[in-house]
Structure formats: C-alpha cells, structure tokens
Amino acid sequence: MNDVLTRAEDRLRTALGEPDARAAVTFLGTERIEVLRFPDPGRGLVRYATLGMSAAPMTDPTATVADPGRGPRAELLLTLRAGRAATDGVLRPLAVLAASPQVEGVVVAPGGSLDLGEPLWPGAPFTSVLVDDPDGPVPELPLPAPRDPVRFLPLLPMTPNEAAWKRVHGAAALRDRWREHGTDLTDPTRAGTPLSG
C-alpha cells in the first residue's frame, strides 16, 4: 500500500475506531479505491470513509505541468444515522466520487459539489453531495514536505432541489437554510429543506 494510504488509514482508525466492513472498487485506468465503514453505536451513527483518493495529489486540469508531489490530497467522509435506511449501498457511489479526481481531473474542495446523477444508495432522496469544511472528527494528516496534508472532507447529502438551489445561491446560503430549519444532515430519510421565501 502507498505510504500515504497507510498513514491515512491509521489516522482514520485513531479517530473513528476499527472499521467493521470495507469494500474495494477499481475503475478502468484508476487506482483502487476502498470504502471503510465505521460504526458509532454510542451516537447511533455510521461513518463511511474512502481510502485511496489521497494516494496522489489532485491537480488542476488546466495546469500545463502536473507536480507529482505537490497539490491537495483528500479522502471523503460521510456520516449518517444508523439503521434508518439501507445506506451500505453507498459504498460504490462513494468510491465513484473518490475516483473523480483521477477520472475527470476534478479538484475536490470545500464548498464544491459532486453529482452522481443517481441515488447515493437504493431509494435515497439524494443524488449529490456538498463538500463541507474539514472540521469533522478526523483531523488532517500532515505529510513530509513538500507534500500537502491529507484532509478528510465531510460530505453532506443534497436533494436535487437543494443541489439546484446551491448552484444559484452558493454553498454558504444553502448551509444557512439548513441551519435555519434545523435540518439533520445525518438523517438518510430526511425530506428536502424548504428553500423558497
């Protein structure tokens, strides 16, 4: 395993405990992406974390020369309430999102959104996610210079209406709406937040 991924997995285990399941997905022309599931029964939560996205830095597709050492590195973290929906179906979709920097040349960063075009898991009302600020349960992982640290970016599921509203009004405005309505962003069965008015 790439030394960055070894360190990233150690950081996940230190912050979240032992995973109780993991799945690996390989896409044509990309490195393997794993998704680990971490139960948090004390809080009634389950966390899904990618492992593999941080093996290489993300590069701006408009850059004329890609630096193999420098550039942002990240893994994705999705936290949901346990037992309310068949959320384990999110494993492959999460791997798809984590592969997007390799496949599409996307730089995943806070405030951005990632769209699957299909439910995050079977029956889910969400087809995309908002990338949140990395101030969640997993602190960033420093790497030896000149490499950038690995950030563990929380994902917030969005309904199609919320995603469309976010494209017009921005991520901060959508977060404000969620806050105003007390939206539980970990609830896998939640309805869309009212956005008019």
Side-chain angles (χ1 to χ4, degrees):
M1 185 185 281
N2 174 303
D3 73 307
V4 173
L5 298 186
T6 301
R7 293 175 186 222
E9 182 168 356
D10 288 345
R11 177 56 56 100
L12 286 167
R13 289 173 180 269
T14 299
L16 303 177
E18 287 300 310
D20 68 352
R22 64 195 302 154
V25 180
T26 304
F27 303 98
L28 187 63
T30 68
E31 298 294 326
R32 184 172 79 161
I33 302 287
E34 290 190 273
V35 180
L36 284 61
R37 184 180 68 189
F38 295 89
D40 188 350
R43 294 188 178 91
L45 301 172
V46 60
R47 302 182 197 279
Y48 300 93
T50 65
L51 184 65
M53 183 176 167
S54 62
M58 294 179 279
T59 56
D60 185 334
T62 63
T64 52
V65 179
D67 187 323
R70 296 176 186 268
R73 295 175 190 255
E75 297 291 353
L76 307 177
L77 185 64
L78 176 66
T79 301
L80 297 169
R81 296 220 168 271
R84 296 190 184 180
T87 56
D88 283 353
V90 79
L91 298 176
R92 182 175 175 79
L94 263 186
V96 170
L97 296 179
S100 59
Q102 293 182 59
V103 175
E104 301 171 28
V106 174
V107 176
V108 179
S113 53
L114 299 169
D115 194 342
L116 274 171
E118 61 184 44
L120 289 178
W121 57 86
F126 316 106
T127 56
S128 60
V129 293
L130 175 66
V131 183
D132 203 10
D133 294 317
D135 57 359
V138 186
E140 76 174 25
L141 171 66
L143 297 176
R147 297 186 290 185
D148 290 25
V150 177
R151 300 195 299 170
F152 297 87
L153 301 174
L155 302 180
L156 306 176
M158 295 188 291
T159 66
N161 282 347
E162 289 169 341
W165 200 86
K166 181 257 177 189
R167 283 193 292 273
V168 174
H169 299 279
L174 179 58
R175 286 193 196 97
D176 287 345
R177 285 300 173 106
W178 281 336
R179 202 163 24 246
E180 288 166 12
H181 291 276
T183 303
D184 180 0
L185 297 171
T186 65
D187 182 353
T189 63
R190 74 173 179 87
T193 299
L195 299 170
S196 59

